[in-house]
Amino acid sequence: MKLAAFFLGAGLAPFLLAPAAAVEVAVIYEGFPGYAGCKERADMQRVIELAEQYDLEAAREIIRRGLKSKDCRVLGGDLVVELVPPFSRLVKVHMRGDPDAYWILQ
């Protein structure tokens, strides 16, 4: 039983530790308080993947490119949750009064 718990813990460790690195990239982005969110789920999923590999500069670059192209944005204020997919670290939200939806880290 202890061996099974060890393997379960070892298997979950990347999922428990990696979000902290992704949050560093996506929660407060370069001095802007708020949540970095992208219109495409795949873009935010890539941010998580890069953060899990501890390549925070590459993860930040995705956000930078998204801000330039207006595919990503720093969200603040009153956020309305639209969708919380099961077993996902991402949540689909929109800012109250703005119809555009963005994916953010939960």
Side-chain angles (χ1 to χ4, degrees):
M1 187 64 164
K2 289 181 182 178
L3 186 59
F6 170 77
F7 284 119
L8 179 62
L12 290 176
F15 296 103
L16 298 175
L17 298 175
V23 166
E24 181 181 330
V25 173
V27 173
I28 299 175
Y29 177 73
E30 291 189 355
F32 296 104
Y35 295 90
C38 294
K39 290 182 180 180
E40 296 297 324
R41 183 178 180 179
D43 291 339
M44 284 305 291
Q45 186 61 45
R46 184 67 179 145
V47 168
I48 291 172
E49 290 168 1
L50 291 167
E52 286 175 346
Q53 298 166 19
Y54 299 99
D55 191 352
L56 299 182
E57 189 53 39
R60 285 185 191 102
E61 183 61 24
I62 289 176
I63 302 296
R64 275 189 216 106
R65 289 178 185 179
L67 289 172
K68 285 181 184 176
S69 69
K70 305 227 190 262
D71 290 328
C72 298
R73 172 177 186 180
V74 177
L75 307 170
D78 190 13
L79 297 179
V80 178
V81 176
E82 292 186 9
L83 180 64
V84 181
F87 308 109
S88 175
R89 292 182 227 155
L90 299 175
V91 177
K92 188 176 183 180
V93 300
H94 72 269
M95 290 190 304
R96 190 164 303 282
D98 183 355
D100 293 333
Y102 297 87
W103 290 93
I104 65 170
L105 292 169
Q106 39 177 334

